[in-house]
Structures are given as structure tokens and as C-alpha cells.
């Protein structure tokens, strides 16, 4: 061993074994003497090279770890981005679902489904089909019957690149893409409609493209299934684009922009189709329910009109009364709703409440069906046929008087001289003539008493009438069979003593009972919430605020506003109607004075009466009676000389 090789200078740099050239070991690294190999010893590794080799190994491992970490971060980032995209897609689908579920118009819903589907898939165009069973399909639309008895209808179309008729209808065969999806429930995804597999069970017709100058390439057809898995519609999306906002005008654009629908897009479209199917089925169900409700309401309306007609037929003298009362009552409610100040400033009737009021008006006298018919048609206190029987008694009494006078004359002729007999017979004739004159006066009085249109008599004249009736009830006559009977019975005296109308106390009680019978009848009907107050309104329309009405005699706090309005309309029509045989129609100004007086006496609602007069709602009567004489604007000071009570 050479002396110069036994040690290394401290200032020298050592190359680590295995390290690349240029890598130096630190000065304090262990130092070994490099010896030349001998024949009986293995060569030793330079410590500097060993250190460099270890360092290189560590560097390589660190680089591998860094690369692995970067790959893991990249993978995590991709997963995060994918998760964010999934979340965004889910939120978007939720927003779409909310939008679809809130739409009630079927045409707007179909358009919305197609619009959202195209936005979600970047489709340039699309169409939507609805499946109907043959028995509920709209017959006027283009259709094709499938093998299972269903029909596919074209309902909507959209296209960003060309103008299409959104109302277009054309036949759809089961051999088409949409028809096959509807029949099988399978999703079809083809990248080129003109290059379908030869064994495909469906086909594509280029006729539409040729007619409209369009080119259909990528197509996605998704069946819309309800909760039972039945296909109720088909969503067809055409030409997915790289850029959603690009319009396809040239062949170069079609070739560059149109791309196939990828699996993520297919999943999104399927999810939307599922939501759309639920919304569509709910909408169609809602339409059916709405149609059913409309049909039921139409049937109810027809029933109510028929009932009002039945009331008119049952009570011919008041024919048209229900319609007029309804008209005036609703007019009062509408006028109250328009008031911005005063007692009705907080009153607002909805359309449903007004409809409820209309039905209540038409049905307010439905209970009259249970009243005996003769009471409705009773034009006099004693009906003409019955009154003729009373007059026949007077004729029989007249004959009795004549016969009695003849017997007296015969007796006088047999017992007196001719001159005396003549004088006595003349006296008998004078007495008989006076009796006949008195009888004629009584008959005339009876005829006046029997006429309900002359019931409004001054108190003095009515008292004289009562005295005559009492006298006639005590007057007797002899029947042909010799039985002696009163000229007037107590029932006849009671009937002829009626001061108002033609009904006796018992008959009026029966007539007034119609309000209770109306309520009992209407209460048995299961009304919807919109019409639930009809029985109560009808029940109270003859009640008075001071408790003097009927059938229950309730006070003001128990009478709803609708019933108070109906009461005013009912009384006004009863006073002014020209179709009552038992009374004459009153002039409108006199009828208004009666309403005002009854309001002042606490029977009617003052505010309702004031509204009726101030808004001149009585002028609506001209709709039913064009010939009716309308007064000048009615003032509260206009008070007639005579104010009879209302019926």
C-alpha cells in the first residue's frame, strides 16, 4: 500500500458510492481509506458512493410517494367534482320536480317537461307523446292504436334550430322509436338515427327531416312510467349539442356540434322522465277530478234550477219569485262587497259565497212542496166554489122569506077584507123589499170581505164588517130537509175576518211552516264546504231581528247577513209582484217605504234596507218586468200617507 493513498486530505470531497457524479458527501461523513484490491480480499465499497446510492433510493421513493399522493388527490378531486355534479344535477332535478308538480295547466305542463328535458340534456329538439286508452282518448287527434289497445298521441314539439308547429299532429306507428318505447317501456339511445342496427325492431323515417330541412342524428327516447310501471307518455330528445346555445344551420355544424347522449345524460333524462310521469299523472288525475267536480256542480246547478221550477209549478201564483229574490239578494251582496266605508266596509263576498247565495235564493221556498196545494192557489178567503155555497144559503133564505111572506098574505086574504088585505100585503112587500135590500148589502159586504186585495181597511170600517159577520153568524135559515142552520159558520167568519191576505190562522201556520220544511229538506243534503251555509240561510229568511219572525223566532245575533239580505229581497218582491191573486201589486215607492218602516221598527236590518234603497237596487226589477214604473230616486223622507204592513 502506498503512503499517499493511506489517507485523504480533510479538504477533499468524497464521492458517495452509487451516487451520481456531482453529488458530494458532507465533510463529516465517515472516511475510509481506499485500498487496492488484493488477490485474497473482496474490493470494499466507497462510502461516498454508498451514501449517494442511498440518497438516490430515498429520492426515488419520495418521488413515487409524491406521485401516488398527487394521483390520490386527483382522484379525490374528480370524485368531489363528480359528487358536486351529482348534487347539482339532483338539486336541478328537485327544482324541476317542484316546477312540474306546481303546474296545473296540462298544456303548459307538457311544454315545461319538454323544455326542462332539453335543458338538462342539451338537446336541440324534442317531442312528447301521451298514451291514452282507446275509451278515453281524444278522438279528434292523430293516433295509432297499439297491440294492447292503447293509443299514442303527439302532444308537443320544440326545436331551437328551426320553427316547428307546436300544435302539429301526425300518426305514430308502433314501429317508430316513440311507439316502440311506449309499447315495451324500454329506453332507446342511438347515436345516429340514419344508421340504426339492421336487426332493430324499430325504424326511423326521414320524411319529417326532408320536409323541414332538418337532420336528426343522436336520439334519446325515454318512456314515462307511472307508479304502477305503466307507460303514460314518451319523451323523445333529438341532437345533443356540445354547446346548448348553438343553433344548427349548416351540415358542418351538425357534424361538429351534435354528439351522442352519454350514460350520465341518459340517467338524468330517465330521472326527469320519472318525475314528469308523476306530475303528468297527478295533473291528469286532477283534471279528471276537476271535470268530475264540474260535472257534479253542473248537475247540482241543474237540480237546483229544476227544484225552483218545481216550486213555481207547485205555487203558480208566485211563479218567478225565487228567481227574482235570488237576483236581488245577490245584487245586495255584490253592492255590500263594493263598499269602502260605512257598515259594510269589511264585508267581501267571494265568488263561491255569491254562488252559495244564489243557490240559497233559488231554494229558499223548497219547503212549499210539502204545503197543501189549495193553500197556494187560494185566491180568496173563501174559495169561489165555497163562497158560491154561502151565497146559495142567502138565496135559500131569500126563498124562505118569500115563502113566509106568501103564507102571511094568504092568511090575511082569508081573514081580512080586500081593502085591508091589500094594505097589509103592501106592508109585507115593503118589509120583504127592505129585507132583500139589507141582504144585498150584506152580500156586497161579504164579497168585499172575501177579496184579499181589499184587506187594508181602516179600523172603523173593519169593525163594522166584524159586526155584520157576527150578526150573519147568528142568522139562521131552513134547509130543504127542514134542518135549521146558521147563515155563516164560525170557520167562515174566521176566514172572512182575515185582515191580510187570504189565509186563515191555521192555513198561515201551515204556509209559514215551509221555512222549517225547507231547512229539514236541505239539511239532509251532504253539501260541500262551499255551499255548507245554504240550509241556515234558507232557515232564517223569514226571521225578524226583534224575534217576531218564523219559524223559530230567533233574535238578530242568530240571523246571518246573507239571510237578512234575502229577507229584504223576499219582502220587496212579495209587495211589488203582480202575480199574486190575493193582493194587488204595490208601487215601488210604497214598497220601499214599508221596508224602511219595518227597519225602523226593528224587524229588518237598517243597513241592508238603506243599501237597497241608496244603491237603487230595486231598479233591477226592470229585468223581469220591463213595464214596471220606476220612481224618482227614493229619499228617506218619501213616506206615503198610508203604510200597510208587509205580507
Amino acid at each position: 500500500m502506498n503512503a499517499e493513498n493511506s489517507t485523504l486530505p480533510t479538504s477533499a470531497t468524497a464521492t458517495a458510492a452509487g451516487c451520481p457524479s456531482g453529488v458530494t458527501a458532507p465533510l463529516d461523513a465517515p472516511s475510509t481509506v481506499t485500498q487496492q484490491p488484493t488477490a485474497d480480499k473482496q474490493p470494499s465499497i466507497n462510502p461516498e458512493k454508498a451514501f449517494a446510492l442511498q440518497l438516490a433510493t430515498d429520492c426515488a421513493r419520495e418521488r413515487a410517494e409524491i406521485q401516488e399522493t398527487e394521483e390520490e388527490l386527483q382522484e379525490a378531486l374528480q370524485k368531489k367534482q363528480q359528487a358536486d355534479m351529482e348534487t347539482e344535477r339532483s338539486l336541478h332535478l328537485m327544482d324541476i320536480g317542484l316546477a312540474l308538480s306546481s303546474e296545473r295547466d296540462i298544456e303548459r305542463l307538457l311544454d315545461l317537461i319538454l323544455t326542462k328535458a332539453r335543458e338538462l340534456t342539451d338537446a336541440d329538439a324534442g317531442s312528447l307523446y301521451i298514451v291514452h286508452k282507446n275509451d278515453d282518448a281524444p278522438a279528434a287527434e292523430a293516433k295509432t292504436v297499439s297491440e294492447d289497445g292503447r293509443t299514442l298521441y303527439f302532444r308537443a314539439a320544440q326545436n331551437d334550430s328551426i320553427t316547428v308547429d307546436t300544435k302539429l299532429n301526425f300518426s305514430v306507428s308502433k314501429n317508430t322509436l316513440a311507439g316502440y318505447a311506449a309499447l315495451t317501456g324500454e329506453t332507446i339511445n342511438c347515436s345516429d338515427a340514419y344508421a340504426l342496427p339492421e336487426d332493430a325492431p324499430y325504424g326511423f323515417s326521414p320524411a319529417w327531416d326532408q320536409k323541414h330541412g332538418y337532420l336528426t342524428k343522436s336520439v334519446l327516447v325515454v318512456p314515462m312510467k307511472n307508479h304502477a310501471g305503466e307507460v303514460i307518455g314518451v319523451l323523445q330528445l333529438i341532437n345533443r349539442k356540445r354547446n346548448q346555445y348553438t343553433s344548427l344551420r349548416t351540415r358542418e355544424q351538425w357534424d361538429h356540434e351534435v354528439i351522442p347522449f352519454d350514460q350520465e345524460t341518459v340517467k338524468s333524462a330517465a330521472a326527469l322522465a320519472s318525475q314528469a310521469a308523476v306530475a303528468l299523472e297527478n295533473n291528469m288525475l286532477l283534471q279528471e277530478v276537476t271535470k268530475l267536480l264540474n260535472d257534479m256542480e253542473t248537475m247540482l246547478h241543474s237540480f237546483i234550477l229544476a227544484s225552483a221550477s218545481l216550486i213555481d209549478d207547485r205555487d203558480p201564483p208566485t211563479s218567478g219569485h225565487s228567481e227574482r229574490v235570488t237576483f236581488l239578494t245577490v245584487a245586495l251582496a255584490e253592492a255590500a262587497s263594493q263598499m269602502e266605508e260605512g257598515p259594510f266596509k269589511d264585508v267581501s263576498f267571494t265568488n263561491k259565497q255569491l254562488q252559495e247565495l244564489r243557490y240559497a235564493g233559488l231554494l229558499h221556498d223548497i219547503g212549499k212542496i210539502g204545503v197543501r196545494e189549495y193553500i197556494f192557489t187560494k185566491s180568496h178567503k173563501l174559495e169561489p166554489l165555497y163562497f158560491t155555497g154561502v151565497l146559495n144559503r142567502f138565496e135559500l133564505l131569500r126563498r124562505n122569506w118569500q115563502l113566509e111572506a106568501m103564507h102571511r098574505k094568504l092568511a090575511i086574504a082569508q081573514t081580512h077584507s080586500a081593502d085591508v088585505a091589500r094594505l097589509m100585503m103592501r106592508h109585507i112587500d115593503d118589509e120583504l123589499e127592505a129585507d132583500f135590500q139589507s141582504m144585498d148589502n150584506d152580500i156586497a159586504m161579504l164579497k168585499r170581505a172575501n177579496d184579499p186585495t181589499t184587506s187594508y181597511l181602516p179600523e172603523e170600517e173593519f169593525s163594522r164588517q166584524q159586526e155584520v159577520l157576527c150578526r150573519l153568524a147568528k142568522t139562521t135559515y131552513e134547509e130543504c130537509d127542514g134542518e135549521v142552520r146558521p147563515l155563516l159558520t164560525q170557520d167562515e167568519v174566521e176566514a172572512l175576518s182575515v185582515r191580510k191576505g187570504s189565509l186563515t190562522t191555521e192555513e198561515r201556520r201551515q204556509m209559514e211552516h215551509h221555512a222549517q220544511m225547507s231547512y229539514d229538506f236541505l239539511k239532509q243534503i251532504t253539501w260541500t264546504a262551499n255551499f255548507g251555509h245554504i240550509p241556515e240561510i234558507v232557515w232564517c229568511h223569514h226571521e225578524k231581528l226583534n224575534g217576531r219572525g218564523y219559524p223559530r223566532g230567533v233574535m238578530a245575533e242568530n240571523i246571518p247577513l246573507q239571510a237578512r239580505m234575502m229577507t229584504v229581497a223576499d219582502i220587496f218582491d212579495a209587495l211589488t209582484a203582480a202575480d199574486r191573486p190575493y193582493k194587488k201589486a204595490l208601487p215601488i215607492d210604497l214598497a220601499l217605504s214599508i221596508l224602511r218602516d219595518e227597519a225602523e221598527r226593528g224587524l229588518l236590518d237598517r243597513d241592508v234596507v238603506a243599501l237597497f234603497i241608496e244603491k237603487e237596487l230595486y231598479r233591477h226589477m226592470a229585468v223581469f218586468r220591463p213595464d214596471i214604473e220606476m220612481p224618482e230616486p227614493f229619499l228617506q223622507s218619501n213616506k206615503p200617507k198610508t203604510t200597510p204592513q208587509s205580507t
Side-chain angles (χ1 to χ4, degrees), residues 381-382 387 390 445-451 462 465-466 469 472 488-499 504:
K381 299 174 186 179
L382 295 177
F387 191 72
V390 173
M445 186 279 301
L446 287 178
K447 290 181 178 179
R448 290 195 303 274
N450 194 44
D451 185 358
F462 181 74
Q465 177 179 288
Q466 293 302 298
L469 292 176
L472 294 177
L488 289 178
T489 66
Q490 287 301 316
D491 289 341
E492 292 163 350
V493 171
E494 179 187 357
L496 293 169
S497 299
V498 171
R499 297 200 65 175
T504 64

Side-chain angles (χ1 to χ4, degrees), residues 287-303 359:
Q287 281 194 327
E288 291 180 7
V289 172
T290 302
K291 182 179 183 302
L292 178 61
L293 291 176
N294 290 337
D295 291 344
M296 291 178 63
E297 188 164 339
T298 299
M299 182 176 66
L300 175 63
H301 185 74
S302 301
F303 168 76
Y359 287 164

